[in-house]
Amino acid sequence: MQCALFDAEVCRSCTWLSRPYGEQLAAKEQHVRTVLGDPPGLAWAPVVASAEQGFRNKAKLAVGGTVQQPTLGILDPGGVGVDLRTCPLYPATLARSFDPLAEFVGRASLTPYDVPTRRGELKNVVVSVSPDGELMVRFVLRSQESLARIRKHLPWLLGELPTTRVVSVNLLPEHKAVLEGEHEIVLTEQAVLPMRLDVPLRLRPQSFFQTNTQVAVELYRQARAWADDAAPSSVWDLYCGVGGFALHLARTDREVTGVELSDEAVAAARESAAEAAVDATFVAADATAHVLATPPGEAPDLVVVNPPRRGIGTELATWLEASRTRHVLYSSCNPTTLARDLAAMPSLRPVRARLLDMFPHTAHSELLTLLARG
């Protein structure tokens, strides 16, 4: 992939961009094999490659500059805005929204937040695109000071971006290095962005979804195939988000429960299950606390875990080791914490693994591993 921003050293976020893509994939697979120790009996499926550009379904754009000339992209080490509207990682359906959004900043008089002085209102603009090309737009603000102006000019924005389904304001009053706050104000009648995959999912403003739709589809397909081979009658999907794994693994003869801390994500998962007439239950709870409250003898046949980079941790791994669970599907974005968690579950041996390149041009990837008790 050629990127003028990278060549000009304006942005170096794609740290592996200078490496041929085939070399990137080989290096990632070798790295995870080395970290896991390539245990005997582990069968590796072929790597799932990504498109090299236009693969991101979400743009997290820090806002800098001025009301009249805003930048949408990142902030440099001094807190100055760097405009990345021409970044080739975004598909055209998403990139076409950037210029109207920049103009909207001026129309609604949204003062970009200045990190060094801690003044201003608009911190980030977050835009997601569905497989159908529909958009969700979120404005991350310090306060509600500009909310009335956003409402006033919203018809103009919807006219410029007619595929927009959801617009919201997220409030982040604190000065800290996070993307968003807890409070969300939805400004459109529609509060959900449909994500039509093999099983339709629904994305709410604060819900997590994999950033690479094409590779996410392959991830869910592989999980479903391995789960069907294992033929469990009961499944837990921990850290389930909007229910991607749970809804793809659900069957009429299979009891499926998803557990997720985010109320918004659980609400979206329940709506998806109802829309698709899928028999799955979703619980809003901390995954580890929910599991530890269950006697190990009442564990399901199969547990899916898709934790953040820190992994599942000692408590959950110890519980799984002591449980009656026959199989675990572990989707990991961090092979180091995966290896640590596997060491705490020696009775659950990795038997299948597949690397999925969710994040091209970086050292990161997703690894799906099937563990079997033996």
Side-chain angles (χ1 to χ4, degrees):
M1 181 184 79
Q2 193 69 26
C3 176
L5 297 166
F6 184 87
D7 293 341
E9 300 188 359
V10 171
C11 173
R12 287 283 173 153
S13 298
C14 294
T15 52
W16 281 20
L17 188 56
S18 58
R19 305 176 71 168
Y21 187 54
E23 180 183 309
Q24 293 182 33
L25 295 179
K28 289 182 182 187
E29 185 173 31
Q30 182 57 51
H31 174 67
V32 296
R33 283 174 178 260
T34 300
V35 172
L36 296 187
D38 214 0
L42 176 56
W44 289 85
V47 174
V48 174
S50 169
E52 294 187 44
Q53 62 186 62
F55 59 83
R56 289 191 65 94
N57 59 34
K58 188 178 204 177
K60 306 173 184 178
L61 305 168
V63 183
T66 64
V67 173
Q68 293 76 26
Q69 293 184 307
T71 61
L72 303 180
I74 58 174
L75 303 179
D76 71 12
V80 177
V82 177
D83 198 275
L84 300 182
R85 276 179 266 177
T86 59
C87 172
L89 298 185
Y90 302 114
T93 49
L94 185 56
R96 281 195 293 266
S97 71
F98 297 162
D99 286 348
L101 286 168
E103 185 174 343
F104 185 77
V105 171
R107 284 178 173 268
S109 298
L110 305 178
T111 306
Y113 183 71
D114 183 71
V115 172
T117 64
R118 303 190 181 187
R119 301 176 68 176
E121 283 294 316
L122 180 59
K123 296 184 175 182
N124 302 301
V125 175
V126 184
V127 195
S128 301
V129 64
S130 76
D132 297 327
E134 296 175 327
L135 300 175
M136 176 189 293
V137 178
R138 304 172 63 211
F139 297 97
V140 182
L141 302 171
R142 190 171 69 163
S143 74
Q144 297 190 49
E145 180 271 335
S146 52
L147 184 58
R149 297 194 302 277
I150 291 176
R151 290 186 187 275
K152 175 183 176 181
H153 294 281
L154 185 56
W156 176 88
L157 182 63
L158 296 177
E160 292 293 307
L161 301 175
T163 61
T164 302
R165 295 288 295 270
V166 185
V167 178
S168 69
V169 163
N170 177 274
L171 297 180
L172 178 60
E174 301 88 358
H175 178 84
K176 57 184 181 181
V178 296
L179 178 69
E180 61 188 42
E182 296 180 1
H183 186 49
E184 197 89 19
I185 303 169
V186 178
L187 304 180
T188 47
E189 288 187 18
Q190 182 78 32
V192 173
L193 182 67
M195 302 292 287
R196 294 181 178 89
L197 311 182
D198 293 344
V199 176
L201 304 178
R202 297 163 72 88
L203 190 63
R204 286 173 174 256
Q206 292 185 308
S207 302
F208 168 79
F209 185 76
Q210 300 283 3
T211 191
N212 189 323
T213 303
Q214 168 209 347
V215 177
V217 168
E218 296 303 321
L219 174 67
Y220 295 139
R221 287 175 178 171
Q222 185 64 84
R224 180 171 56 193
W226 287 351
D228 287 349
D229 287 347
S233 60
S234 55
V235 174
W236 285 355
D237 178 9
L238 307 181
Y239 315 93
C240 72
V242 296
F245 285 107
L247 294 168
H248 281 79
L249 269 58
R251 295 289 185 273
T252 55
D253 59 346
R254 186 178 293 166
E255 181 182 324
V256 176
T257 301
V259 183
E260 166 60 44
L261 186 61
S262 166
D263 291 330
E264 284 288 288
V266 168
R270 288 171 177 165
E271 291 171 0
S272 296
E275 180 184 10
V278 169
D279 187 13
T281 301
F282 293 93
V283 178
D286 175 79
T288 300
H290 179 82
V291 168
L292 295 181
T294 305
E298 298 178 14
D301 296 332
L302 183 147
V303 174
V304 181
V305 292
N306 182 26
R309 290 187 59 79
R310 64 177 180 273
I312 64 174
T314 303
E315 287 184 306
L316 180 50
T318 301
W319 187 93
L320 286 169
E321 171 67 14
S323 75
R324 60 174 289 276
T325 295
R326 295 186 291 111
H327 292 93
V328 173
L329 269 171
Y330 195 135
S331 184
S332 171
C333 61
N334 186 342
T336 300
T337 55
L338 170 60
R340 180 206 64 201
D341 292 337
L342 293 180
M345 301 183 288
S347 297
L348 288 159
R349 298 180 299 103
V351 293
R352 291 180 174 180
R354 192 170 199 184
L355 184 77
L356 301 101
D357 194 23
M358 196 77 69
F359 318 101
H361 316 305
T362 74
H364 303 294
S365 59
E366 193 81 9
L367 181 66
L368 184 66
T369 306
L370 176 66
L371 315 179
R373 192 171 295 278

